[in-house]
Amino acid sequence: MIFLASSLVMMWFVILSGVTHTSPLSQTYFLRANTDGISGARPISQWTYFYVCGDGNTDCSPPHPAPAIGSAWDGEPRRAPPAELLGGYGGNTTSFGYWYMWRFGWVFYLIALFFGVLAFFSGFVACCSRLGSAISGLITLAALVFYTIAVSLMTATFVKMRNAFIADNRDAELGRWAFGFSWGAWAALLISTILFCLGRRANKADGAGPRRTWGRRRMSTHSRKSYDGRRVKEEYP
């Protein structure tokens, strides 16, 4: 449960990036790129979960769930960003591939967060029974599967974006905090899933069933011997 809670905290750090100017949220972004000269763009653009911001996660756009990556610039800009990023989606700002990669990544991120929170509360039941461990393990596994898809799509989206900006002779770098939190949350969720499953096996191995059966068998044998002894004494005074 400690690993699961750590995973959820790191997920929330990624989601809340750009909300305040305090550390570490002010340093949390997926990609930072030089967009100086692109029509409608800031000199420096930083892509976060709900915003496209300027340097230091300031001067952010209005919050939108999974904003189109092209919301950093105008639709059909006179001075365009790298060609592979531009397309007919998001108000003619974003290409087909980047639009759907980031949209689906955002959806799977939310689904993983839902199952992660559900797994955390079900984890209290895991302390009480083997069945509770099994339920928590299954829910945590579901969160892990969805989160693996989400973080993989996120990584593919922004690594390709970085490469596109660099190929266009613009400086670009991935956000170390956002990627660290994202993959750190994945690792913690994986460990939590394994431990819940091992907890179920440990409970089964340490169960008191065999000892209780042995105890009843021993008591039954002892009672039968006592009864046979009394019967022998009654028949042979």
Side-chain angles (χ1 to χ4, degrees):
M1 288 186 66
I2 293 174
F3 281 107
L4 183 55
S6 301
S7 176
L8 292 173
V9 169
M10 287 186 279
M11 287 185 194
W12 280 110
F13 278 152
V14 174
I15 292 174
L16 296 177
S17 56
V19 173
T20 69
H21 304 314
T22 58
S23 182
L25 299 181
S26 59
Q27 289 89 28
T28 304
Y29 52 83
F30 294 114
L31 180 71
R32 171 189 171 93
N34 176 12
T35 52
D36 189 28
I38 298 176
S39 300
R42 302 165 181 80
I44 298 293
S45 294
Q46 296 182 172
W47 282 264
T48 68
Y49 198 84
F50 280 108
Y51 306 89
V52 176
C53 299
D55 188 24
N57 281 356
T58 58
D59 186 26
C60 296
S61 63
H64 293 288
I69 61 168
S71 61
W73 47 77
D74 292 335
E76 299 180 355
R78 293 185 304 277
R79 291 193 61 184
E84 73 174 77
L85 305 181
L86 196 61
Y89 292 82
N92 295 322
T93 62
T94 309
S95 65
F96 171 87
Y98 286 95
W99 172 264
Y100 281 106
M101 274 197 300
W102 182 223
R103 284 277 165 164
F104 278 103
W106 177 79
V107 169
F108 281 113
Y109 207 107
L110 288 183
I111 296 173
L113 182 64
F114 168 77
F115 278 104
V117 173
L118 190 63
F120 178 77
F121 287 106
S122 70
F124 291 101
V125 182
C127 302
C128 305
S129 68
R130 191 167 68 241
L131 178 60
S133 296
I135 293 173
S136 298
L138 287 175
I139 298 175
T140 311
L141 179 61
L144 177 65
V145 170
F146 286 116
Y147 190 66
T148 300
I149 299 172
V151 78
S152 298
L153 287 172
M154 179 273 290
T155 301
T157 299
F158 292 104
V159 168
K160 285 172 63 67
M161 279 185 66
R162 179 202 61 181
N163 295 341
F165 277 110
I166 292 175
D168 198 45
N169 296 318
R170 293 180 177 273
D171 294 333
E173 62 178 7
L174 299 175
R176 291 175 293 177
W177 289 85
F179 274 78
F181 286 142
S182 296
W183 284 104
W186 181 87
L189 193 57
L190 174 64
I191 295 172
S192 178
T193 303
I194 294 172
L195 292 179
F196 271 126
C197 294
L198 290 178
R200 178 186 178 278
R201 295 187 62 185
N203 286 339
K204 184 176 181 180
D206 297 337
R211 289 193 295 270
R212 287 197 299 267
T213 303
W214 178 81
R216 287 196 299 269
R217 185 165 57 247
R218 183 177 177 184
M219 290 175 61
S220 176
T221 303
H222 178 72
S223 300
R224 186 165 57 251
K225 286 182 178 180
S226 299
Y227 175 76
D228 290 343
R230 287 196 301 272
R231 186 175 61 184
V232 170
K233 289 182 180 180
E234 290 174 358
E235 293 179 354
Y236 302 97

